[in-house]
Amino acid sequence: MQEALVLPSGVVLPGVRKAGALSPKRPAVETAGLADVFPYYAGFSFDWACHQLAQHEAELVDSGTVLDPWNGSGTTTLAAQSLGFNAIGLDLNPVANVIAKLRAQEYSQVEDIGRPKKRTDVCVEDDPLAAWFAEPTVRRIRQWVKVGEATGGPTRDLLTVALFRAIRATTKQFEGSNPTWVKRAKDAAGTLSIASDELDAIIERHITFVSARVGSQSSTRPISVVTADSRNMPIASDSVDIIVTSPPYLTRIDYAVAYSRELALLGINISSDRSLRADLMGTTLIRRQATDSFPFGETASNLLSLIQKHDSKASSGYYLKQAQQYLHDLTSGLDEITRVCRNSATVHLVVQDSFYKDVHVPLADICIDEAAMRGWSLKSEPKRFPVRRTLTSLNKSAQIYKKGDVAESVLTFSRG
Ligand SMILES: C[S@@+](CC[C@H](N)C(=O)[O-])C[C@H]1O[C@@H](n2cnc3c(N)ncnc32)[C@H](O)[C@@H]1O
C-alpha cells in the first residue's frame, strides 16, 4: 500500500514517507515534490518538510503563515502549499526562485513550445553565456529565451528550467571534483560550439521531461516566492507562525559560482557584476564593509579565535574575515527571524557542522547560542543525523587535516 501523511483534520497527502527517523537530507533520488526537476544544492527532503509542517496544522489551518527565509528550490513553500497553508519563501538567488515557482505552479495546460525561428536580430554582445558557449550557440539559446518571453507565465518558467537543465547537461566539463565550483572557459577556443539542430534536440528533450513532471501538478494555494535578502526581509513584524529553513553552512559554498551558468541565462554576469555574489551568505568574496566588530556569542567567538590562531596560511587574515562575514549574515538573519515571528512561533532550523582545516565548526551550537541571545530556546532535543559525504571529503588539499565526523542537526526553537 502507498504511504501517506494524514493530518489531524483528515487531509491526506499520498506518497509521503512515514516520519520515523526521517532525515532532512534529500534522498539520492527524490521525485516527491518535483525535486528531480532541478535538484538544487543542499535542498532538503520534501517528505521531511511535510512532516515538520503537519505538526502545526492547528496554528496554520486558517490564516497562519509559514516562512522560509533561505527558501532555495522551494521545498518548504511547496510542502506548505501541498498541505493547504499560506507560505512565503525568500531567496536572494533568482535561479532558486525560478525553480521554487515552477514547483508550486499549476499547469492545467502545458502550452506547446515550438522551435524558434532562426533570427539574426538577437543581440549576443557581452552575453554572460559566452563564458561557456561559442557565439552561434549563445545566439541559439537566446532565441529559445525569446520564445519564453513571448509566452510569459508558467510556460516561461517551464522553458527557463528546461534551459537550465540543457545548459547543465552540455557543460559538465566545466565542473570540477567540487561540483559547486563551476569553471569558465579560459578563452574563446575553450568554449562549446553545438550545432543548432543538435542543441534544439537537447533542449526539446528537457522541455518534454519538465512538462511531463509538472503536468500532473495541481495547486491548492498560491504561495509567495520573493527575491529578497534574509538580512532585510520584506515582511511585517509579528506576522509569521512557523519557520522551516536551512541557511547556507560555513563550508565555503559560493552559491553564485555554483549557479553561474543559470544566472548567465537570466542575464546576470557574476564576473563583471559582483554585487549578487558578494551579498549571498557564505560567499568567498570579502565585502568592503567590515564585520569584525559585530558582537557574537561565546561559541561563535571561540570559533573565530581558533581560526585566528591557526598556523596555516591566511587563517588570521582572509579566512578569519570570511568566517566573521558569514556569522554576521547568519546573526542578521536570526535578528530578522526574531522580528517577523509572532511570540507563539516555532522555528525549525536545519544546520550542518563542518571543519575549517582541523578546527570543528559547531554550527548547531553556534545557532543555539545566538538564538538564545535573541530570546529563543530549544523546544525539544536537537535531532542529529550523521553526514557521510561532505565537500571536504572531495577536496584533496583539505584531506591533510584530520577531521571527525560531522552531523546535520534539526533544531526546533520557541520563545521563552
Ligand atoms: C541550504 S540552501 C536552502 C535549500 C532549501 N532548503 C531547499 O530545499 O532547496 C540556502 C539558500 O540560501 C540562499 N541565500 C544565501 N544568502 C542569502 C541571503 N542573504 N538572503 C536570502 N537567501 C540567501 C541561497 O541562495 C540558497 O538558496
Side-chain angles (χ1 to χ4, degrees):
M1 207 174 71
Q2 196 190 32
E3 289 186 89
L5 170 64
V6 183
L7 269 64
S9 64
V11 171
V12 178
L13 210 59
V16 173
R17 285 169 295 152
K18 286 216 171 63
L22 207 57
S23 150
K25 259 252 167 312
R26 203 173 45 211
V29 180
E30 185 176 61
T31 52
L34 296 181
D36 56 328
V37 167
F38 193 85
Y40 191 72
Y41 185 74
F44 47 53
S45 140
F46 175 74
D47 290 0
W48 176 84
C50 287
H51 281 286
Q52 295 304 297
L53 291 173
Q55 317 160 34
H56 298 290
E57 189 184 25
E59 297 113 283
L60 293 171
V61 73
D62 291 325
S63 56
T65 300
V66 176
L67 168 69
D68 187 340
W70 292 286
N71 193 39
S73 58
T75 313
T76 303
T77 40
L78 180 65
Q81 183 190 51
S82 309
L83 296 167
F85 306 148
N86 298 322
I88 307 172
L90 309 180
D91 204 290
L92 202 50
N93 178 3
V95 171
N97 296 331
V98 173
I99 303 157
K101 278 202 287 168
L102 176 94
R103 291 172 76 190
Q105 260 155 13
E106 178 149 11
Y107 289 85
S108 43
Q109 251 189 320
V110 177
E111 284 174 51
D112 263 351
I113 303 174
R115 256 185 209 202
K117 291 206 174 67
K118 297 200 169 122
R119 309 160 37 159
T120 49
D121 61 336
V122 177
C123 174
V124 293
E125 213 182 301
D126 295 330
D127 195 301
L129 286 172
W132 302 279
F133 297 105
E135 190 180 311
T137 306
V138 175
R139 195 176 293 284
R140 190 65 187 148
I141 296 173
R142 288 292 168 212
Q143 288 166 0
W144 276 98
V145 170
K146 289 240 176 260
V147 173
E149 283 167 1
T151 337
T155 308
R156 177 186 179 159
D157 290 335
L158 190 157
L159 178 56
T160 306
V161 174
L163 289 171
F164 285 169
R165 289 176 54 96
I167 288 174
R168 281 232 154 183
T170 49
T171 52
K172 286 265 174 271
Q173 68 192 76
F174 295 98
E175 295 170 12
S177 56
N178 171 353
T180 67
W181 194 261
V182 177
K183 292 179 230 121
R184 309 159 69 83
K186 289 200 178 67
D187 49 33
T191 57
L192 293 169
S193 188
I194 308 172
S196 175
D197 285 346
E198 190 191 337
L199 180 65
D200 289 348
I202 295 170
I203 292 172
E204 282 164 350
R205 264 208 311 278
H206 288 284
I207 293 174
T208 306
F209 174 82
V210 181
S211 305
R213 296 290 290 118
V214 298
S216 56
Q217 199 164 293
S218 66
S219 81
T220 46
R221 272 200 194 219
I223 50 143
S224 175
V225 172
V226 186
T227 302
D229 196 328
S230 55
R231 297 167 301 178
N232 185 15
M233 302 184 197
I235 295 180
S237 304
D238 299 322
S239 61
V240 170
D241 299 277
I242 305 295
I243 291 189
V244 176
T245 195
S246 176
Y249 309 142
L250 188 41
T251 47
R252 299 177 47 74
I253 303 294
D254 207 310
Y255 278 88
V257 177
Y259 292 98
S260 49
R261 291 165 291 182
E262 293 79 12
L263 286 166
L265 185 80
L266 300 182
I268 299 170
N269 186 342
I270 64 156
S271 294
S272 59
D273 176 359
R274 301 192 133 200
S275 54
L276 173 67
R277 184 173 165 206
D279 276 341
L280 283 163
M281 188 173 161
T283 180
T284 53
L285 292 180
I286 305 296
R287 301 179 201 126
R288 286 226 181 88
Q289 319 88 287
T291 49
D292 53 352
S293 57
F294 211 73
F296 299 119
E298 203 183 326
T299 320
S301 303
N302 283 345
L303 170 69
L304 291 175
S305 128
L306 289 172
I307 295 177
Q308 184 168 28
K309 285 194 260 169
H310 202 275
D311 55 10
S312 63
K313 192 167 166 257
S315 284
S316 60
Y318 169 80
Y319 289 106
L320 175 66
K321 283 202 188 110
Q322 204 249 340
Q324 276 166 336
Q325 184 173 276
Y326 171 87
L327 291 168
H328 171 265
D329 291 353
L330 175 71
T331 50
S332 304
L334 291 176
D335 283 339
E336 278 292 82
I337 286 178
T338 307
R339 178 183 68 77
V340 302
C341 275
R342 289 187 211 281
N343 255 332
S344 54
T346 303
V347 176
H348 300 275
L349 196 64
V350 178
V351 286
Q352 189 175 306
D353 289 2
S354 55
F355 276 87
Y356 168 71
K357 318 283 182 194
D358 48 356
V359 175
H360 179 224
V361 176
L363 190 55
D365 289 342
I366 289 175
C367 288
I368 295 171
D369 209 10
E370 296 297 330
M373 289 166 68
R374 289 158 180 83
W376 297 92
S377 48
L378 282 172
K379 207 171 166 178
S380 51
E381 274 300 297
K383 292 196 180 69
R384 299 194 197 267
F385 300 89
V387 177
R388 266 167 245 111
R389 193 167 174 269
T390 62
L391 279 182
T392 31
S393 71
L394 299 173
N395 178 349
K396 290 241 160 45
S397 61
Q399 285 166 7
I400 56 166
Y401 293 102
K402 199 169 167 7
K403 300 175 180 27
D405 296 331
V406 294
E408 188 161 60
S409 304
V410 180
L411 309 174
T412 298
F413 296 104
S414 61
R415 267 204 259 242

PDB file of all heavy atoms in Angstrom, residues 15-43:
ATOM      1  N   GLY A  15       1.782   9.361  -0.821  1.00  0.00           N
ATOM      2  CA  GLY A  15       3.161   9.224  -1.315  1.00  0.00           C
ATOM      3  C   GLY A  15       4.215   9.718  -0.343  1.00  0.00           C
ATOM      4  O   GLY A  15       5.398   9.495  -0.553  1.00  0.00           O
ATOM      5  N   VAL A  16       3.832  10.378   0.754  1.00  0.00           N
ATOM      6  CA  VAL A  16       4.833  10.904   1.693  1.00  0.00           C
ATOM      7  C   VAL A  16       5.258   9.786   2.651  1.00  0.00           C
ATOM      8  O   VAL A  16       4.409   9.133   3.256  1.00  0.00           O
ATOM      9  CB  VAL A  16       4.257  12.119   2.477  1.00  0.00           C
ATOM     10  CG1 VAL A  16       5.221  12.566   3.559  1.00  0.00           C
ATOM     11  CG2 VAL A  16       3.954  13.253   1.505  1.00  0.00           C
ATOM     12  N   ARG A  17       6.580   9.586   2.755  1.00  0.00           N
ATOM     13  CA  ARG A  17       7.084   8.506   3.615  1.00  0.00           C
ATOM     14  C   ARG A  17       6.741   8.757   5.077  1.00  0.00           C
ATOM     15  O   ARG A  17       6.561   9.888   5.491  1.00  0.00           O
ATOM     16  CB  ARG A  17       8.610   8.394   3.472  1.00  0.00           C
ATOM     17  CG  ARG A  17       9.055   7.750   2.169  1.00  0.00           C
ATOM     18  CD  ARG A  17      10.545   7.918   1.975  1.00  0.00           C
ATOM     19  NE  ARG A  17      10.866   9.333   1.812  1.00  0.00           N
ATOM     20  CZ  ARG A  17      12.035   9.866   2.143  1.00  0.00           C
ATOM     21  NH1 ARG A  17      12.980   9.144   2.664  1.00  0.00           N
ATOM     22  NH2 ARG A  17      12.260  11.157   1.960  1.00  0.00           N
ATOM     23  N   LYS A  18       6.742   7.675   5.890  1.00  0.00           N
ATOM     24  CA  LYS A  18       6.430   7.788   7.322  1.00  0.00           C
ATOM     25  C   LYS A  18       7.500   8.604   8.023  1.00  0.00           C
ATOM     26  O   LYS A  18       8.671   8.575   7.631  1.00  0.00           O
ATOM     27  CB  LYS A  18       6.412   6.389   7.942  1.00  0.00           C
ATOM     28  CG  LYS A  18       5.198   5.593   7.558  1.00  0.00           C
ATOM     29  CD  LYS A  18       4.751   4.715   8.739  1.00  0.00           C
ATOM     30  CE  LYS A  18       3.417   4.084   8.460  1.00  0.00           C
ATOM     31  NZ  LYS A  18       3.492   3.172   7.293  1.00  0.00           N
ATOM     32  N   ALA A  19       7.122   9.304   9.106  1.00  0.00           N
ATOM     33  CA  ALA A  19       8.088  10.174   9.789  1.00  0.00           C
ATOM     34  C   ALA A  19       9.266   9.372  10.338  1.00  0.00           C
ATOM     35  O   ALA A  19      10.398   9.550   9.920  1.00  0.00           O
ATOM     36  CB  ALA A  19       7.402  10.938  10.888  1.00  0.00           C
ATOM     37  N   GLY A  20       9.031   8.435  11.246  1.00  0.00           N
ATOM     38  CA  GLY A  20      10.102   7.623  11.842  1.00  0.00           C
ATOM     39  C   GLY A  20      11.315   8.474  12.116  1.00  0.00           C
ATOM     40  O   GLY A  20      11.226   9.546  12.698  1.00  0.00           O
ATOM     41  N   ALA A  21      12.467   8.041  11.635  1.00  0.00           N
ATOM     42  CA  ALA A  21      13.692   8.817  11.828  1.00  0.00           C
ATOM     43  C   ALA A  21      14.023   9.561  10.538  1.00  0.00           C
ATOM     44  O   ALA A  21      15.167   9.643  10.127  1.00  0.00           O
ATOM     45  CB  ALA A  21      14.817   7.888  12.216  1.00  0.00           C
ATOM     46  N   LEU A  22      13.012  10.054   9.859  1.00  0.00           N
ATOM     47  CA  LEU A  22      13.201  10.730   8.573  1.00  0.00           C
ATOM     48  C   LEU A  22      14.210  11.870   8.703  1.00  0.00           C
ATOM     49  O   LEU A  22      14.083  12.717   9.563  1.00  0.00           O
ATOM     50  CB  LEU A  22      11.840  11.279   8.131  1.00  0.00           C
ATOM     51  CG  LEU A  22      11.591  11.455   6.642  1.00  0.00           C
ATOM     52  CD1 LEU A  22      11.783  10.147   5.898  1.00  0.00           C
ATOM     53  CD2 LEU A  22      10.173  11.969   6.415  1.00  0.00           C
ATOM     54  N   SER A  23      15.218  11.836   7.834  1.00  0.00           N
ATOM     55  CA  SER A  23      16.264  12.857   7.873  1.00  0.00           C
ATOM     56  C   SER A  23      15.876  13.999   6.960  1.00  0.00           C
ATOM     57  O   SER A  23      15.208  13.798   5.945  1.00  0.00           O
ATOM     58  CB  SER A  23      17.561  12.200   7.401  1.00  0.00           C
ATOM     59  OG  SER A  23      18.381  13.133   6.778  1.00  0.00           O
ATOM     60  N   PRO A  24      16.352  15.227   7.280  1.00  0.00           N
ATOM     61  CA  PRO A  24      16.066  16.333   6.346  1.00  0.00           C
ATOM     62  C   PRO A  24      16.825  16.194   5.040  1.00  0.00           C
ATOM     63  O   PRO A  24      16.505  16.844   4.051  1.00  0.00           O
ATOM     64  CB  PRO A  24      16.539  17.567   7.128  1.00  0.00           C
ATOM     65  CG  PRO A  24      17.413  17.080   8.202  1.00  0.00           C
ATOM     66  CD  PRO A  24      17.028  15.667   8.502  1.00  0.00           C
ATOM     67  N   LYS A  25      17.886  15.369   5.017  1.00  0.00           N
ATOM     68  CA  LYS A  25      18.670  15.198   3.771  1.00  0.00           C
ATOM     69  C   LYS A  25      17.802  14.610   2.689  1.00  0.00           C
ATOM     70  O   LYS A  25      17.077  13.646   2.916  1.00  0.00           O
ATOM     71  CB  LYS A  25      19.804  14.196   4.013  1.00  0.00           C
ATOM     72  CG  LYS A  25      21.118  14.766   4.225  1.00  0.00           C
ATOM     73  CD  LYS A  25      22.207  14.693   3.241  1.00  0.00           C
ATOM     74  CE  LYS A  25      23.351  15.636   3.572  1.00  0.00           C
ATOM     75  NZ  LYS A  25      23.054  17.009   3.901  1.00  0.00           N
ATOM     76  N   ARG A  26      17.921  15.177   1.506  1.00  0.00           N
ATOM     77  CA  ARG A  26      17.165  14.646   0.377  1.00  0.00           C
ATOM     78  C   ARG A  26      17.751  13.300  -0.007  1.00  0.00           C
ATOM     79  O   ARG A  26      18.974  13.170  -0.078  1.00  0.00           O
ATOM     80  CB  ARG A  26      17.301  15.628  -0.780  1.00  0.00           C
ATOM     81  CG  ARG A  26      16.206  15.538  -1.781  1.00  0.00           C
ATOM     82  CD  ARG A  26      16.285  16.626  -2.811  1.00  0.00           C
ATOM     83  NE  ARG A  26      17.634  16.804  -3.316  1.00  0.00           N
ATOM     84  CZ  ARG A  26      18.131  17.970  -3.726  1.00  0.00           C
ATOM     85  NH1 ARG A  26      17.395  19.047  -3.680  1.00  0.00           N
ATOM     86  NH2 ARG A  26      19.348  18.058  -4.183  1.00  0.00           N
ATOM     87  N   PRO A  27      16.921  12.280  -0.234  1.00  0.00           N
ATOM     88  CA  PRO A  27      17.486  11.003  -0.683  1.00  0.00           C
ATOM     89  C   PRO A  27      18.175  11.172  -2.041  1.00  0.00           C
ATOM     90  O   PRO A  27      17.883  12.130  -2.760  1.00  0.00           O
ATOM     91  CB  PRO A  27      16.266  10.093  -0.819  1.00  0.00           C
ATOM     92  CG  PRO A  27      15.071  10.893  -0.512  1.00  0.00           C
ATOM     93  CD  PRO A  27      15.460  12.291  -0.166  1.00  0.00           C
ATOM     94  N   ALA A  28      19.091  10.246  -2.385  1.00  0.00           N
ATOM     95  CA  ALA A  28      19.851  10.370  -3.636  1.00  0.00           C
ATOM     96  C   ALA A  28      18.912  10.546  -4.823  1.00  0.00           C
ATOM     97  O   ALA A  28      19.179  11.316  -5.733  1.00  0.00           O
ATOM     98  CB  ALA A  28      20.733   9.150  -3.813  1.00  0.00           C
ATOM     99  N   VAL A  29      17.816   9.820  -4.793  1.00  0.00           N
ATOM    100  CA  VAL A  29      16.828  10.001  -5.862  1.00  0.00           C
ATOM    101  C   VAL A  29      15.523  10.397  -5.195  1.00  0.00           C
ATOM    102  O   VAL A  29      14.970   9.628  -4.425  1.00  0.00           O
ATOM    103  CB  VAL A  29      16.612   8.683  -6.647  1.00  0.00           C
ATOM    104  CG1 VAL A  29      15.588   8.889  -7.757  1.00  0.00           C
ATOM    105  CG2 VAL A  29      17.928   8.157  -7.185  1.00  0.00           C
ATOM    106  N   GLU A  30      15.072  11.609  -5.437  1.00  0.00           N
ATOM    107  CA  GLU A  30      13.778  12.005  -4.881  1.00  0.00           C
ATOM    108  C   GLU A  30      12.941  12.623  -5.989  1.00  0.00           C
ATOM    109  O   GLU A  30      13.352  13.587  -6.643  1.00  0.00           O
ATOM    110  CB  GLU A  30      13.920  13.002  -3.728  1.00  0.00           C
ATOM    111  CG  GLU A  30      12.545  13.291  -3.106  1.00  0.00           C
ATOM    112  CD  GLU A  30      12.583  14.202  -1.880  1.00  0.00           C
ATOM    113  OE1 GLU A  30      13.017  15.353  -1.992  1.00  0.00           O
ATOM    114  OE2 GLU A  30      12.146  13.740  -0.814  1.00  0.00           O
ATOM    115  N   THR A  31      11.786  12.051  -6.196  1.00  0.00           N
ATOM    116  CA  THR A  31      10.891  12.619  -7.196  1.00  0.00           C
ATOM    117  C   THR A  31       9.726  13.335  -6.509  1.00  0.00           C
ATOM    118  O   THR A  31       9.065  14.155  -7.120  1.00  0.00           O
ATOM    119  CB  THR A  31      10.334  11.524  -8.130  1.00  0.00           C
ATOM    120  OG1 THR A  31       9.795  10.503  -7.310  1.00  0.00           O
ATOM    121  CG2 THR A  31      11.387  10.957  -9.031  1.00  0.00           C
ATOM    122  N   ALA A  32       9.519  13.013  -5.205  1.00  0.00           N
ATOM    123  CA  ALA A  32       8.428  13.665  -4.479  1.00  0.00           C
ATOM    124  C   ALA A  32       8.641  15.163  -4.530  1.00  0.00           C
ATOM    125  O   ALA A  32       9.767  15.642  -4.412  1.00  0.00           O
ATOM    126  CB  ALA A  32       8.413  13.187  -3.031  1.00  0.00           C
ATOM    127  N   GLY A  33       7.555  15.907  -4.704  1.00  0.00           N
ATOM    128  CA  GLY A  33       7.662  17.371  -4.724  1.00  0.00           C
ATOM    129  C   GLY A  33       8.504  17.863  -5.887  1.00  0.00           C
ATOM    130  O   GLY A  33       9.120  18.919  -5.792  1.00  0.00           O
ATOM    131  N   LEU A  34       8.554  17.116  -6.961  1.00  0.00           N
ATOM    132  CA  LEU A  34       9.282  17.514  -8.184  1.00  0.00           C
ATOM    133  C   LEU A  34      10.759  17.831  -7.922  1.00  0.00           C
ATOM    134  O   LEU A  34      11.361  18.650  -8.622  1.00  0.00           O
ATOM    135  CB  LEU A  34       8.635  18.750  -8.817  1.00  0.00           C
ATOM    136  CG  LEU A  34       7.214  18.630  -9.336  1.00  0.00           C
ATOM    137  CD1 LEU A  34       6.777  19.960  -9.946  1.00  0.00           C
ATOM    138  CD2 LEU A  34       7.115  17.544 -10.389  1.00  0.00           C
ATOM    139  N   ALA A  35      11.341  17.196  -6.888  1.00  0.00           N
ATOM    140  CA  ALA A  35      12.728  17.517  -6.534  1.00  0.00           C
ATOM    141  C   ALA A  35      13.688  17.188  -7.678  1.00  0.00           C
ATOM    142  O   ALA A  35      14.764  17.764  -7.776  1.00  0.00           O
ATOM    143  CB  ALA A  35      13.123  16.757  -5.277  1.00  0.00           C
ATOM    144  N   ASP A  36      13.288  16.246  -8.545  1.00  0.00           N
ATOM    145  CA  ASP A  36      14.183  15.831  -9.629  1.00  0.00           C
ATOM    146  C   ASP A  36      14.135  16.781 -10.836  1.00  0.00           C
ATOM    147  O   ASP A  36      14.926  16.638 -11.764  1.00  0.00           O
ATOM    148  CB  ASP A  36      13.822  14.406 -10.091  1.00  0.00           C
ATOM    149  CG  ASP A  36      12.358  14.311 -10.518  1.00  0.00           C
ATOM    150  OD1 ASP A  36      11.524  15.033  -9.938  1.00  0.00           O
ATOM    151  OD2 ASP A  36      12.059  13.529 -11.427  1.00  0.00           O
ATOM    152  N   VAL A  37      13.238  17.755 -10.816  1.00  0.00           N
ATOM    153  CA  VAL A  37      13.132  18.643 -11.976  1.00  0.00           C
ATOM    154  C   VAL A  37      14.398  19.492 -12.105  1.00  0.00           C
ATOM    155  O   VAL A  37      14.904  19.728 -13.195  1.00  0.00           O
ATOM    156  CB  VAL A  37      11.858  19.509 -11.884  1.00  0.00           C
ATOM    157  CG1 VAL A  37      11.884  20.645 -12.880  1.00  0.00           C
ATOM    158  CG2 VAL A  37      10.647  18.643 -12.136  1.00  0.00           C
ATOM    159  N   PHE A  38      14.903  19.932 -10.951  1.00  0.00           N
ATOM    160  CA  PHE A  38      16.207  20.596 -10.958  1.00  0.00           C
ATOM    161  C   PHE A  38      16.790  20.445  -9.553  1.00  0.00           C
ATOM    162  O   PHE A  38      16.597  21.309  -8.698  1.00  0.00           O
ATOM    163  CB  PHE A  38      16.081  22.086 -11.318  1.00  0.00           C
ATOM    164  CG  PHE A  38      17.420  22.707 -11.631  1.00  0.00           C
ATOM    165  CD1 PHE A  38      17.963  22.622 -12.908  1.00  0.00           C
ATOM    166  CD2 PHE A  38      18.157  23.334 -10.642  1.00  0.00           C
ATOM    167  CE1 PHE A  38      19.207  23.162 -13.184  1.00  0.00           C
ATOM    168  CE2 PHE A  38      19.405  23.882 -10.917  1.00  0.00           C
ATOM    169  CZ  PHE A  38      19.917  23.800 -12.195  1.00  0.00           C
ATOM    170  N   PRO A  39      17.484  19.320  -9.297  1.00  0.00           N
ATOM    171  CA  PRO A  39      17.972  19.081  -7.923  1.00  0.00           C
ATOM    172  C   PRO A  39      18.886  20.227  -7.476  1.00  0.00           C
ATOM    173  O   PRO A  39      19.914  20.469  -8.081  1.00  0.00           O
ATOM    174  CB  PRO A  39      18.728  17.755  -8.038  1.00  0.00           C
ATOM    175  CG  PRO A  39      18.184  17.120  -9.282  1.00  0.00           C
ATOM    176  CD  PRO A  39      17.841  18.255 -10.217  1.00  0.00           C
ATOM    177  N   TYR A  40      18.447  20.937  -6.451  1.00  0.00           N
ATOM    178  CA  TYR A  40      19.143  22.146  -6.006  1.00  0.00           C
ATOM    179  C   TYR A  40      20.122  21.762  -4.914  1.00  0.00           C
ATOM    180  O   TYR A  40      19.814  20.933  -4.057  1.00  0.00           O
ATOM    181  CB  TYR A  40      18.102  23.128  -5.470  1.00  0.00           C
ATOM    182  CG  TYR A  40      18.616  24.524  -5.216  1.00  0.00           C
ATOM    183  CD1 TYR A  40      18.926  25.376  -6.270  1.00  0.00           C
ATOM    184  CD2 TYR A  40      18.782  25.004  -3.917  1.00  0.00           C
ATOM    185  CE1 TYR A  40      19.384  26.668  -6.034  1.00  0.00           C
ATOM    186  CE2 TYR A  40      19.240  26.289  -3.674  1.00  0.00           C
ATOM    187  CZ  TYR A  40      19.540  27.111  -4.740  1.00  0.00           C
ATOM    188  OH  TYR A  40      19.995  28.396  -4.502  1.00  0.00           O
ATOM    189  N   TYR A  41      21.291  22.406  -4.911  1.00  0.00           N
ATOM    190  CA  TYR A  41      22.306  22.053  -3.932  1.00  0.00           C
ATOM    191  C   TYR A  41      21.780  22.267  -2.507  1.00  0.00           C
ATOM    192  O   TYR A  41      21.210  23.310  -2.194  1.00  0.00           O
ATOM    193  CB  TYR A  41      23.585  22.883  -4.158  1.00  0.00           C
ATOM    194  CG  TYR A  41      24.651  22.416  -3.224  1.00  0.00           C
ATOM    195  CD1 TYR A  41      25.296  21.206  -3.463  1.00  0.00           C
ATOM    196  CD2 TYR A  41      24.945  23.108  -2.074  1.00  0.00           C
ATOM    197  CE1 TYR A  41      26.218  20.709  -2.563  1.00  0.00           C
ATOM    198  CE2 TYR A  41      25.862  22.627  -1.182  1.00  0.00           C
ATOM    199  CZ  TYR A  41      26.494  21.429  -1.434  1.00  0.00           C
ATOM    200  OH  TYR A  41      27.392  20.935  -0.538  1.00  0.00           O
ATOM    201  N   ALA A  42      22.003  21.275  -1.643  1.00  0.00           N
ATOM    202  CA  ALA A  42      21.620  21.358  -0.222  1.00  0.00           C
ATOM    203  C   ALA A  42      20.114  21.496  -0.006  1.00  0.00           C
ATOM    204  O   ALA A  42      19.674  21.968   1.032  1.00  0.00           O
ATOM    205  CB  ALA A  42      22.350  22.499   0.496  1.00  0.00           C
ATOM    206  N   GLY A  43      19.346  21.110  -0.982  1.00  0.00           N
ATOM    207  CA  GLY A  43      17.890  21.129  -0.805  1.00  0.00           C
ATOM    208  C   GLY A  43      17.495  20.056   0.201  1.00  0.00           C
ATOM    209  O   GLY A  43      18.125  19.002   0.245  1.00  0.00           O
TER     210      GLY A  43
END
